[in-house]
Each structure stands twice: as structure tokens, then as C-alpha cells.
Amino acid sequence: MARVKKKRLLLRREWCKGCNICVAFCPTHVLGLDEENRIQILDESRCIECYLCEWRCPDFAIELVDLASEEADGAKEGAA
Amino acid sequence: MATLDYVRRRFLPHIWCPGCGHGTLMATLVRAIEELAIPKDQIVMASGIGCSSRIVGYLDLHTLHTLHGRALAFATGVKMAKPDLHVIVPMGDGDALAIGGNHFIHACARNIDLTAIIMNNQTYGMTGGQVSPMTGHGERATTMPYGNLGQALDVVAVARAAGATYVARSTVYHAPQLKKLLMKAIQHRGFSVVEVLTQCPTYYGRLNQRGDAVEMMTWFKEHAVPVGSDARKDDPARFEVGEFVNVERPEYCASYDEIVTRLKPREDEHA
């Protein structure tokens, strides 16, 4: 069943410390760590927008961005 | 406002170790403040010394980084001078209950309108994993290599006995619940205490073979039970999470204002 995506994942790799918390607790295995031990998206289509990665990340390295409001803001990048 | 608007981005990434629960608590606290829509200039945050106390450096609020254990004393001064501000005091377990133990119980007794957050990682992380008031019996620390001879303080029981009018406990695994409890604590009029279990994989976890951050958080998940649950009888390692105390009692600054109003000479008395 196709779902309408309302959010997208914004990763801030430069703040990620590779603690694996988001990877381990993601209920649909969307995330993984790359060869540099930093966060990467394996398959965003599986994302159910539950926010558990964003809420448990100790490093502000993941955020679910609202697609509608992002379009309104003119797609500005989040990381400093 | 977005979550990161409350954060001093130029200081990120923070100094906490990979997998440290303090970052999750900080993010959850910011979300709680964001959801309450409190303007940045209406919040004062005072902290003491330790890993936990570094939190004030990262938050773009009015912040005070004070003496070890004395954050509540500074916060009391701020609140007395500016009772309209929200004063939040994040402390570590050692900072709040060993070095600042007396400040803590007397702040509870006074019922002054502060929000004390005890970031309990069961050790002194910054100085190398020494035994803290929250290290459990038999658990290892660098100063208790054969296991702690004493036992952990029960913060909830201490706060309740000392007279805190809002007492709650949660963990960083339970971030959504933690956010709700923090919001209630910030809104509560009186002294509120929220104990937050957070993992220290670098010292407490390593010395006690608790595995990495994920395993430590999974332990929180498996051992946390709701307040009043019978499940604790089967396993003494289980602990209660949720709201323990939520009562009304005269607040210190309000009582002070009442006296000032009562003792102020009336206009006609001067005539």
C-alpha cells in the first residue's frame, strides 16, 4: 500500500558520532552506519515517520523535516 | 521556533562521548520548552559542574555555569530576584546528591518554584568513573573496583520526604514520556524534581559490562515499569517510571511576596 510521504530525513553527518542508537531502535530499519561510522539512509521508502530516531539521537544529527513547510520556506538546509 | 533555535549551534558537536544519554536529555528538554512555547528570554538555566552541567553551554537561553553542587543555590537567588522567570536546574547525580545534597533537600523543603533535573548516569563520568551516590550496591566504579559497598540513594524517596511538590522519573529511552514529564515539571508551581536515567557507556557501562549505549538503553526499556506496577516484585532490578508526587503547597516566592505586601505601611499610616 502506497503511503503519502509527509516528511523527509535530514541527516547532519558532521554531528554524528556513530553511537548506533538510531540504527538499533528504528522499527523499520531505515538507517545504517557507513564506512566512516556515521549515519546514512539505507531505504527511506520504509520510513514510517515515527520520530524515534530524532527523539533518541543524542547529537541532533537526524531530523524529520516537514515537506510541505520546507517547500514554503524555499528548501533551506538545516546544518550550520 | 524550531528545536535548533534554542541551541548554540556553533558549539556543536558537543563534548559528550558517543552514545552518552545526556545529549538525548538535552534534545528532549529543548523539545519540551519548544512545545510550551516559552520565549528564550523567559528561561534561566543554572548548572553546577560535571558532564551533565555542560548542557548550559549548548543552550541559547540565559545560562549560568556555577560551582559544583551549588546550582540550586544560584537558581534560588535568581528566582527570588526575578520570580516571573522559569528557572531550570540540570544537575548530575553526584552534583545534586553528594556535593549539593544539602542544597537539594532544602530546596525541596522550601518548595521554591524551580525545576530540578537530575541526570542520573550512576557515576562521575567527567573525572573518570568514581562511585557516586547513585551507584548501586555491588556495582563497579574506579574507586570501588570490587563493587560498591554502599547502595544507591532513591532520589524519588528523598525528594518526596524532603517535601518536593512534583517528583517524576523517566529515562532517555522513554524520550516521548520524558518530554511530557519535563513539560509538567516546568509548568508546576513549586519545587519539581525529574530524575532522568541516562547511560554512560564510557565509564559506568564499561566498568560494569553493560555493553554499548544501545544495550544500556535496552536495559532501561526492559526494566522500567509504570508507577505502582506489581512487576517489580519479580525482579528487584526493575524501577518505576512516571509521576510520583504532584501536590500543591505554598510556594516560597509567593509566600515572600505575601509578607512584603502585609508589612508594607499603608498610605494612610504615614499621614
Side-chain angles (χ1 to χ4, degrees):
Chain A
M1 192 182 74
R3 283 185 312 111
V4 181
K5 281 200 85 65
K6 292 182 179 153
K7 316 271 179 193
R8 77 172 178 91
L9 283 162
L10 168 74
L11 305 185
R12 297 188 186 92
R13 288 184 79 259
E14 67 280 15
W15 289 353
C16 177
K17 292 174 184 164
C19 68
N20 210 39
I21 288 173
C22 57
V23 177
F25 293 119
C26 175
T28 53
H29 311 287
V30 171
L31 301 160
L33 294 181
D34 62 15
E35 64 281 358
E36 285 178 11
N37 213 24
R38 287 180 194 228
I39 183 72
Q40 68 173 352
I41 297 171
L42 300 178
D43 182 2
E44 192 163 354
S45 70
R46 289 200 292 251
C47 179
I48 53 168
E49 300 168 12
C50 69
Y51 281 89
L52 289 176
C53 54
E54 180 183 324
W55 284 352
R56 295 208 179 105
C57 174
D59 296 281
F60 294 107
I62 313 176
E63 194 177 323
L64 274 139
V65 185
D66 196 42
L67 286 169
S69 68
E70 195 179 42
E71 261 171 48
D73 293 349
K76 66 178 177 196
E77 177 57 295
Chain B
M1 279 213 283
T3 311
L4 278 175
D5 290 344
Y6 288 91
V7 177
R8 293 172 181 150
R9 286 189 188 205
R10 63 188 184 280
F11 296 132
L12 292 179
H14 52 60
I15 60 149
W16 293 317
C17 302
C20 173
H22 288 1
T24 308
L25 179 268
M26 175 164 76
T28 309
L29 179 59
V30 168
R31 281 188 198 102
I33 293 169
E34 185 190 0
E35 198 161 323
L36 290 171
I38 309 173
K40 286 201 260 189
D41 59 0
Q42 296 294 306
I43 307 170
V44 178
M45 204 173 269
S47 76
I49 296 295
C51 291
S52 59
S53 304
R54 297 295 297 240
I55 189 170
V56 298
Y58 301 117
L59 297 180
D60 193 18
L61 311 164
H62 294 301
T63 55
L64 289 158
H65 200 166
T66 74
L67 306 176
H68 204 358
R70 315 294 178 228
L72 281 170
F74 283 81
T76 301
V78 171
K79 187 72 189 179
M80 289 296 286
K82 297 271 183 197
D84 295 336
L85 299 179
H86 292 273
V87 185
I88 303 173
V89 192
M91 299 174 283
D93 47 314
D95 193 44
L97 298 158
I99 302 95
N102 258 309
H103 291 298
F104 179 73
I105 56 174
H106 290 287
C108 290
R110 264 181 222 122
N111 193 34
I112 184 161
D113 186 15
L114 305 174
T115 307
I117 299 166
I118 298 175
M119 299 156 81
N120 175 12
N121 59 6
Q122 297 161 278
T123 191
Y124 288 94
M126 184 168 276
T127 48
Q130 291 82 0
V131 71
S132 95
M134 299 303 298
T135 311
H137 181 75
E139 287 170 0
R140 288 192 171 83
T142 48
T143 47
M144 286 282 185
Y146 304 106
N148 184 13
L149 306 174
Q151 57 181 346
L153 265 180
D154 183 342
V155 190
V156 169
V158 171
R160 190 202 300 259
T165 48
Y166 185 90
V167 184
R169 183 196 283 136
S170 189
T171 82
V172 291
Y173 175 82
H174 302 84
Q177 179 203 35
L178 175 58
K179 187 184 78 176
K180 285 182 195 144
L181 293 173
L182 288 171
M183 286 169 67
K184 286 188 85 171
I186 293 168
Q187 286 176 304
H188 179 79
R189 197 159 159 71
F191 193 74
S192 37
V193 179
V194 182
E195 181 194 357
V196 185
L197 274 85
T198 117
Q199 70 277 6
C200 174
T202 305
Y203 285 109
Y204 181 80
R206 189 164 49 83
L207 292 168
N208 291 287
Q209 285 91 47
R210 291 294 184 90
D212 62 6
V214 171
E215 285 173 72
M216 293 181 80
M217 283 177 91
T218 307
W219 191 92
F220 291 153
K221 173 192 174 186
E222 288 167 351
H223 289 80
V225 295
V227 175
S229 166
D230 286 339
R232 286 184 71 210
K233 292 191 187 107
D234 311 330
D235 182 357
R238 288 191 180 140
F239 57 91
E240 291 169 295
V241 292
E243 200 176 279
F244 294 84
V245 179
N246 188 356
V247 293
E248 292 288 320
R249 208 154 58 74
E251 196 271 325
Y252 196 73
C253 297
S255 306
Y256 181 78
D257 283 348
E258 243 169 61
I259 289 182
V260 171
T261 316
R262 181 148 50 89
L263 298 184
K264 215 179 238 174
R266 290 200 308 269
E267 298 274 321
D268 53 349
E269 282 177 46
H270 283 293

